[in-house]
Amino acid sequence: MSSDLERKLPSSCPNFCYELIGKFFTHYPARILVVTLGFATILSWIGLAKNGLPEFSDPYLGFQTRFTPIANRLISLENLRLEVNKLEILENYPAEHQSEREWKRKRRKRSITTSSGCTEFPLEEYGRIGLELRGVAKHVLSRETLALISYFQQLVQATEFYSHLCEMDLERNCCPMWSLPNYVAIWANKSNSLEIETEDVLSFTQNMVECNGYYVNKTSNEECLFRRRSCPEECHHGGLFHTALYYTMDKFSLSKNSTKYVMVVLPIPKSSQSLNLMDNFQQEIWSLRLSLPSKMITVAGFDFGGRERIFKQYLIADLQYVAIASLIIFAIVLIFTKSIFVTLISFGVLLLSLGTSYFVYKTIFGISYFPFMNMLVTIIILGIGTDSTLIVSAAWERSKLSRSERSCDNNEPSRFAVSTLQDTTITLFITTCTTAGAFFASLTSSITTIRCFSIFAELLPRVSQRSKVLEKSLLFCKKLQKVQNKFCCSSIRLLFSSGVSYTSTSIIFWFSSFILCTCVVLWSSYGILYGSKFRLPNSEEFQLLSSAHPVEVFSRVVEPEFSESEYSDPNVNDLKVTLYLVWGILPADNGNALNPNDVGKLQFDSKFSLSPSVNQKWMRKLCREIQKLEFYDSNSNAGLNLDSCFMSTYIRWMKRDCLNFIDEKNSYKPCCNTSKFPYEYGTFFECIGFAARDVYRTPSFYFQPDIAGPKFFTHSFNHNEPYAHVQKNITQLRSFPSETLATYTVRIQTNVTYSVVYEKMAILYETVEKSFEQLMRTAPEGLENGFIVSPYFEFYDLQKSLLEETWTSLLLSVGLCFMFLCVASKSLIVSTGAVICIFAIGKSSDAAFGYYCTKTYNSVNKLDC
């Protein structure tokens, strides 16, 4: 009798809550269902109506670091460059914004057209096709190989959509392609590339080899091609040999006398507005492989732009695999639960969880950036939500079976609901916490995409369990107050009691599992580090499409075989790292950390001052000290580097004669040799603007301005609201009205070749940091806030973040999961074993994936996985 009474009365607050909620669920299931699904549907509709569907027009967006020391400096440097280009707040010299014509002259592109109206040189904006040569066809400068390329050109011109996409000449005919056979035909005065003879090819080859020596450096190249002097007449024959050598043949053609790839540039702009026609045309180009008469030439890849659009199309098309997986999981859940209603409701809740999470992510949190990585959460929620459904269903069936065995009087649904809640609440709550905690750990990353993915992936498990948050929280708080050592003590007694045979079996099983998991972890670690050789990314361009896709093959295989510059050695990467020393702005990122498009505004240094005599002397000394650095390129002084260390240029400029030979009535005073260095306060600011103007007006043939040198505030600066408070602080330090110097930058050309290898760039970065720290130790007041940065450190910073923050996120997620498991299981042994097991499974999966990547991709296309 007393036992029956105890079962009827709640023994504690959690049990009372279980009974109350169980009765509520069993008595009002339809109302709960309608309210829950209706509320989720409304939120999902609001999220989609207000924010629209996710947009993935730029998949690369967000794969940059934010708020690291390097990232802050790079963003400040880029903001400085943008502000100077806009001429709204900063300008290269005083009153530059009033001469917009000159500003555009410095930034215009060289584009030369022929009398027919077609562009003479193959611009970057035109589509390209890469052809791979095999066998004897590798001797591209032969009549047979050129005939094959000419035949391919005719096939392209005969396609259905070519005439709709190509640029027309004045007679409304398609402009000619830029290809090696066409250049040989122009040289031989033939109307068609199919008419060229062996003699024409030999003559063309001989002249191209002779002219190549005039294209090896910028000065001789400009002299020959554009000034048409210092080289034979045939070498500047409309830039024919130059274009054929550097735009249609790979960089090893002359040095190895063998060509693997040739390029055919089509007069089709990459930014064509006829997207459907472009898609059909690309399919036609790819199908031409089957129409070529010989296996010695084939289409390797092409680039007609729209790579991001193709990626988006594939991303949407790949949702079919998610649908197939959903159908399989749907069938499994249906078989297990034996209820079509339960299965449909569970999948409906999962679908609405995505919509509700999207609403919270976009509308409540206000995060505008939605990376394509967030789509992976769809797969994750399928597994998490299905597990929860199966756990609750199994507990329900077990509760009914247990109750039916005890008494036939306790089979009412509310009792089953109470028993199910008691069995599953802690399990589902801990599962949600461990999943959310694992994703939450990725918030430590400085990469925007990973941060946003972490927030969305951490949000979704919580939303999917939102209908049970209240009772889980109440139960969890109550359980924490009654944590006892009963289970732990009983487990220890079981493990160390020698009288029971089950104990020895448990010990053997536990240690066997521990040894097995440890072996799996060690084997996986070896496979990851040495077998599959998982490594940091060594390409600045992320792979978006499959390795066999022609667009991806062109970008990662074909295009690197062609010279990045006609002045570079094909066997050596001579891209030297450039450093910038910046004063006048602070290395700060005041933008939105979750929006890669919001990089904030420039934050000016109110303490910056270059006018004091001490500062002028220190800056001149700095120019000399820089040349003593081990990584300084002594050859960088060749040519007109007027803005590299502007103080030296300024001093030389001030040594000019005071007499104005053009207008003798006006003198250059005080901006002439009557003023001695260091210059007086007024003279310094009056003359530095004129010096910057003269440097900037140097003909572009000799000098192209950079961000280096002094930059000045425009007169409209005070009217720009975001910078008004900064301007006020700056003007308080100035007593001379014409002082408008805003920033000062020194450019350093190093002798270190840029590399994507992390170790090499790490050594350079550490060396640069130590050298700059030593230089800045003697910096006077007003110049103490300078910083050094290089755009070439951007990829290194990404690699560094991946290397360091991956382990931080991993350890944090493991720690959070271990903490939740300890609270739920009340056993240190069980929690440790579970964490080791999970870690072993993850490592073995990584090792298997790495092995597959290595064998499938690297061995075939030599692409990193």
Side-chain angles (χ1 to χ4, degrees), residues 658-703:
C658 296
L659 180 62
N660 189 338
F661 295 99
I662 298 178
D663 186 3
E664 296 182 357
K665 295 182 180 180
N666 295 323
S667 174
Y668 288 130
K669 292 182 179 180
C671 303
C672 58
N673 53 20
T674 58
S675 301
K676 303 301 179 182
F677 184 84
Y679 309 111
E680 296 180 356
Y681 187 86
T683 302
F684 177 82
F685 281 107
E686 181 179 355
C687 299
I688 193 171
F690 293 118
R693 182 197 61 184
D694 290 350
V695 167
Y696 193 78
R697 289 179 175 178
T698 303
S700 59
F701 175 76
Y702 297 102
F703 169 73

Side-chain angles (χ1 to χ4, degrees), residues 35 84 282 417 483 625 726 762 854:
V35 172
V84 172
Q282 293 186 50
V483 173
E625 294 294 330
V726 181
T854 302

Side-chain angles (χ1 to χ4, degrees), residues 736-795:
F736 195 75
S738 63
E739 181 180 341
T740 58
L741 182 62
T743 68
Y744 181 82
T745 306
V746 174
R747 183 178 64 244
I748 304 176
Q749 186 66 49
T750 70
N751 54 14
V752 181
T753 303
Y754 173 66
S755 174
V756 295
V757 179
Y758 173 78
E759 290 76 11
K760 293 182 179 179
M761 295 303 293
I763 294 175
L764 174 63
Y765 177 74
E766 293 174 0
T767 304
V768 169
E769 284 291 305
K770 291 180 181 179
S771 301
F772 181 70
E773 183 180 353
Q774 293 178 355
L775 292 174
M776 292 298 294
R777 287 177 181 174
T778 59
E781 184 180 358
L783 298 177
E784 67 272 22
N785 293 331
F787 64 90
I788 189 168
V789 70
S790 172
Y792 295 97
F793 288 151
E794 181 178 8
F795 187 64

